[in-house]
Amino acid sequence: AFVENLLKHPTFLSNEYTTKFIDETPELFNFAKRQDRGTKVLTYIADISVNGHPETEGRAEPKAGLKDPRPPKVETGALPYGTRNLLEQKGAQAVADWMKAQRQLLLTDTTMRDGHQSLLATRMRSIDMIRVAPAYAQSLSQLFSVECWGGATFDVAYRFLQECPWQRLRDLREAMPNVMTQMLLRASNGVGYTNYPDNVVQAFVKQAAITGVDVFRVFDSLNWVENMRVAMDAVVESGKICEGTICYTGDIMDPDRAKYDLKYYVGMAKDLEAAGAHILGLKDMAGLLKPAAARQLVKALKEEVGLPVHFHTHDTSGIAGATILAAADAGVDAVDAAMDAFSGGTSQPCLGSIVEGLRNTDRDTGLDIAKIREISDYWEQVRAQYAAFESGLQAPASEVYLHEMPGGQFTNLKAQARSLGLEERWHEVAQTYADVNQMFGDIVKVTPSSKVVGDMALMMVSQGLSREEVEDPQTDLSFPDSVVDMLRGNLGQPPGGFPAGIVDKVLKGEKPNLERPGKHLEPVDLEATRAELSQQLEGKAVDDEDLNGYLMYPKVFLDYMGRHRQYGPVRSLPTRAFFYGMEPGEEISAEIDPGKTLEIRLQAIGETDENGEVKVFFELNGQPRVIRVPNRL
Ligand code: BTN
Ligand code: 3PY
Ligand code: ZN
């Protein structure tokens, strides 16, 4: 009845509902207590079966008759010793020392984070990860780490997947107790798009370490080490591994891009070492580092810095495998790769091929290729379920050396361009993105600075503005909010600062802040915020995970909680049912708690009645159930 009340309410129908609306409309709660989780999940399935899921509407569909992905069978019993055991027994510095002392090329599998972020718009659901995690623990325990958290996954879990990112982390940690988990942290931007107060960043890191992150890759979107210290210190304080990270842009071999030369990167690496990093991350988020440049850069970093080096790249150009091998030759300690079925293109290069490429060399990874194939076969079945989120990118593209877009942004920006009707003008968008970069003084482009460049480029192409027109002090223009925010100094400062001309033009005379943004942000009163949030949630107790989710994304978190109250634990649904609902005659099961499973059979979908409602007939654990949902089509 609660959901019926809600679904019929005009504010909900106008799609403006938020949890606040639910709070301000107490009559909805007259029946709320009677809703059990089974009913909530059935309501979700009924609604999606009748109306479709807003996220997959109009998109490619998975092949009919696809089976649920089947993870490889694993033996039960003692797990092999892995990096996590070393971390637990000897600590973060011991892991870094071990990395440098041993000769195998160490591998991080990015499938569960950057792999799907870069290929499927970050839409992979937790259930598809958790089901294969035991196979990693048993069969791929020699991996350096599994990147499975942070970056865009945090936001997308709440916003689009209707699930709790903390629970994902907790479940993965439990299923892979011997292999280190890894996350991507945007330093003072946390896992968001803006600078957070220092104590919010500290609380977030602390919670991530408690819930299950072992390796924190910390970067700043303008490569400003000053703006990374709060996050790095918090990681070191937690006892976990701090991977202080350089973002690579430009081309060290190109004399015309002298701003980002070898000396610049070695200098930054030394700063990160002095700032307390255990590992040096080299993050080539767009895949711009060419093989010969990798050889030089890795050699210099290994010679001049005492830290083990962990290299990350993207295969947008198609040449990243060669870069990995060159880096391996030059002595890089660890590299990132994605499982075969989630590799290539804007994602990482192919893990199985790297393993085979180094077989019987002195950098042999020691990983079992048969196990990699088994696990990749599983990922292939998983990927097939997400056809709606494929970008359709057909081939490698050397154009990446022109625009320098990060792999995680590329398909996103393309989709944004499509929605503005600029799909046919993509190459213009790419050129304009490069122009905007020069206009901002040639900056690192990675979340969130990459979003700023993208926003500006889309505005210019859609309004037909050239760089000269934008820079002309005589014309008056209104700039995207993100551009104003960045030039005010709210993301910090790039090397050499932003060019004065564009700052004046955008800020219209207002003085930018040149200091660390966090320096001017008041600490948040965490306990007062917890109390306030609890009140917003009808007195529900607010734990540290929920509090940290709310601090990162207040509105996204509250919307998630509002939907959770209606639809219950939909994270436990198979992916096909989550995005497409069920067909009459279909049966699924959903384990909503360990040992508590809903056996759901959809019997029939009725006709739409005079109130515009449809009855959907189910069997839930053998008992008949009828759910009414509005037909909104
Ligand atoms: C999402 O917000 O994308 C995932 C949660 C499901 C939202 C449900 S789908 C049926 C109903 N219609 C909407 O537009 N939102 C809810
Ligand atoms: C992110 O911040 O999400 C990234 O993947 C940056 O490369
Ligand atoms: Zn990446």
Side-chain angles (χ1 to χ4, degrees), residues 405 409-410 412-423 425-426 428-434 436 450-465 480 483:
M405 284 169 206
Q409 178 182 36
F410 188 90
N412 244 302
L413 195 68
K414 220 168 180 171
Q416 267 177 278
R418 190 187 311 133
S419 73
L420 293 172
L422 301 175
E423 184 162 33
R425 295 168 68 190
W426 175 251
E428 241 180 282
V429 174
Q431 177 63 59
T432 308
Y433 189 99
V436 171
S450 51
K451 180 180 179 303
V452 181
V453 174
D455 289 349
M456 187 70 212
L458 288 178
M459 171 186 143
M460 286 166 64
V461 175
S462 56
Q463 299 186 15
L465 292 164
V483 173

Side-chain angles (χ1 to χ4, degrees), residues 100 265-266 269-270 273 280 300-309:
K100 288 210 308 180
Y265 290 115
V266 171
K270 288 183 171 169
E273 183 174 31
L280 179 66
L301 293 173
K302 289 293 290 179
E303 280 169 8
E304 302 207 33
V305 186
L307 302 176
V309 179

